[in-house]
Amino acid sequence: TPVTRTLQEKMYQAYDFQFGQVVVQLVAGDIVKQECDVIVNSVDSSYNLNLGKISASIYKHVDKQVQQECHQNRIDGCDYFRLTSAGSLPCKWILHFVVPDDLQEMSDSFLQLLQYADSDALQAKTIAVPCLGMGNQRKKLESVILFFRDSIQCFTCFGSVKCIQYIKIIIQFVKLLYHAVKKNHATTKILTNLPKTWDLTGKPKYLNFVNPQSEEFKAIENRLATAVPTISDIKIERVQNESLYRLYSVKKQEVLLHLQSDRVAEMDLYHGSPNYETIAGTYFNRGYAGATGTLYGKGTYFATELQTAMKHCDRQDGYYTVILATVLTGNYTKGYGNMRDAGVNKDGVLYDSSVDNESNPKFFVVYHDASAYPKYVVTFT
């Protein structure tokens, strides 16, 4: 009947969103019918393909060899997914993904999965993904949307995408998901004005020397001299990473929405790392958490005092190189060693960072790669 045809048309319609050069499609349909390079399967840590609704559906279309591959094909450095052939499915490969319980860990591991699919190993142009986390884990729709958005934003903003052109998210209730994603995706379209101090002439580069005669230089010089009066021979480089700056600005808007009245959204803090050039060109990667300790959480650490950052920074020929960053400290709580995110308070208000001491913090720890922007790289003796 005409009514039935209309319902079928609505069921199988798709909605598109643009993330950089990648098109994300919300598609109502069946994961096993997707004609693409890679499909993602949701499995538990045993990698038993007969367990779970999505995995069991896929298992009906593959043979025992795929199950054997799933047990055997470990990928170095990838703890949450494995690659197999696809049996009789209309795709080339299956990436079997163990969905972590923690949302931040879920986002990080899915980002790693996208990077692997995009790498020379697979060179995938299209990838289909079920709506992860809404099955046995029963995560809220809004949490799943934020997970997909953050992962795909990071994938398209940090570094160049080599191959992937389309990411299909397969779900039954596509219209509900569309309206929710549209609301959240609007934040990615905020028109962020770049800082007026940036030099946008010539070929773009991440590190740009600041003129020692400028007010910009003198303000930072005075800040450093106040912190450590004995420093001299100061060189300041401004970080101009447009992708990270825009992503940081979007994250700042989220922090402002739930900021408590007695907190400030952001602070200028110090970070010591020998990898300052990599950070300037990419972001503060929480994958390195633990390199200098995880006493107050497994995130990226920032110090209120310059001397603290100097203990962990790059040192060559008597010169120290430290990053002066702007950090979304927002609502914060006391941190502890096993924290993977800052959590929420008793009223359900999000924490944005953890600290060593709530009344007088010396350390701030953030758990999102867009929660800090490296404004300046400063070298001095």
Side-chain angles (χ1 to χ4, degrees), residues 62-109:
V62 300
D63 51 30
K64 292 182 179 179
Q65 179 184 342
V66 173
Q67 177 65 84
Q68 291 174 351
E69 291 175 7
C70 201
H71 285 308
Q72 297 170 358
N73 292 359
R74 292 180 173 85
I75 303 171
D76 290 341
C78 304
D79 297 330
Y80 288 100
F81 58 88
R82 295 179 185 176
L83 177 71
T84 70
S85 55
S88 62
L89 294 173
C91 60
K92 296 179 181 178
W93 302 284
I94 306 173
L95 280 170
H96 303 270
F97 182 46
V98 179
V99 182
D101 291 327
D102 178 76
L103 275 171
Q104 188 58 63
E105 198 170 350
M106 183 176 168
S107 182
D108 292 343
S109 54

Side-chain angles (χ1 to χ4, degrees), residues 155-175:
F155 174 62
T156 55
C157 284
F158 299 146
S160 58
V161 177
K162 297 178 181 178
C163 302
I164 290 181
Q165 299 173 3
Y166 292 93
I167 299 173
K168 296 182 178 181
I169 301 175
I170 313 301
I171 187 172
Q172 289 179 322
F173 307 107
V174 68
K175 207 154 192 176

